[in-house]
């Protein structure tokens, strides 16, 4: 059964990807390693696949550092582990990768490790400009902070 939505024909047997949301035909790249540019609306709601090939969660929002004009974090939801409720995580944007072929986003963390990641309490939002918080989050994901001197 094929579904037709927003001028796309979607085969439910094929994995969903951000490539299906390319309404402008803008996801072209002439270098190896995948797509060069992605639209922000395209990434919202996208699944993130972990190290073991399983879905870790999905992107809810992009956090942009307006002072440095960089996408700093992908705010990602995680359905939980062993029955725990949904959590939100600020994943450093530099930790996410795309394959440019299937149109999927990857994070080099397995589900068990991700369950121990620093998360955001919606009732006590962190100061994302705090240097200690920045170092802790980036160290967990094994990426350098995009800000120099952190």
């Amino acid at each position: 059964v094929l579904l037709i939505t927003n001028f796309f024909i979607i085969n439910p047997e094929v994995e969903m990807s951000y490539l299906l949301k390319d309404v402008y035909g803008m996801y072209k790249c002439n270098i190896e390693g995948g797509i060069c540019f992605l639209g922000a609306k395209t990434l919202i709601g996208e699944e993130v696949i972990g190290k073991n090939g399983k879905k870790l969660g999905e992107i809810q929002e992009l956090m942009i550092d307006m002072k440095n004009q960089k996408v700093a974090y992908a705010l990602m939801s995680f359905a939980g582990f062993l029955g725990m409720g949904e959590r939100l995580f600020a994943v450093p944007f530099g930790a996410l990768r795309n394959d440019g072929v299937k149109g999927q986003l990857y994070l080099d963390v397995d589900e068990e490790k991700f369950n121990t990641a620093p998360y955001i309490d919606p009732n006590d939002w962190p100061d994302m400009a705090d240097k200690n918080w920045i170092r802790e989050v980036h160290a967990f994901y094994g990426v350098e902070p995009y800000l120099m001197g952190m």
Side-chain angles (χ1 to χ4, degrees), residues 49-60:
I49 308 300
K51 191 180 218 175
N52 58 5
K54 293 183 179 178
K55 175 184 171 182
L56 284 179
E58 66 181 49
I59 296 177
Q60 301 299 317

Side-chain angles (χ1 to χ4, degrees), residues 64-130:
I64 300 168
D65 179 337
M66 294 302 291
K67 182 177 180 183
N68 295 295
Q69 299 185 354
K70 303 245 185 233
V71 177
Y73 303 98
L75 188 61
M76 193 172 107
S77 63
F78 177 59
F81 183 72
L82 298 176
M84 292 173 27
E86 183 173 88
R87 290 184 173 177
L88 294 175
F89 299 85
V91 176
F93 202 70
L96 294 170
R97 301 286 176 255
N98 76 69
D99 67 357
V101 178
K102 285 183 168 180
Q104 292 181 320
L105 297 173
Y106 296 94
L107 184 60
D108 193 25
V109 176
D110 63 30
E111 185 177 0
E112 189 172 322
K113 182 179 178 185
F114 193 69
N115 193 49
T116 65
Y119 64 93
I120 294 173
D121 178 352
N123 298 316
D124 188 21
W125 201 264
D127 176 1
M128 293 180 135
D130 177 70

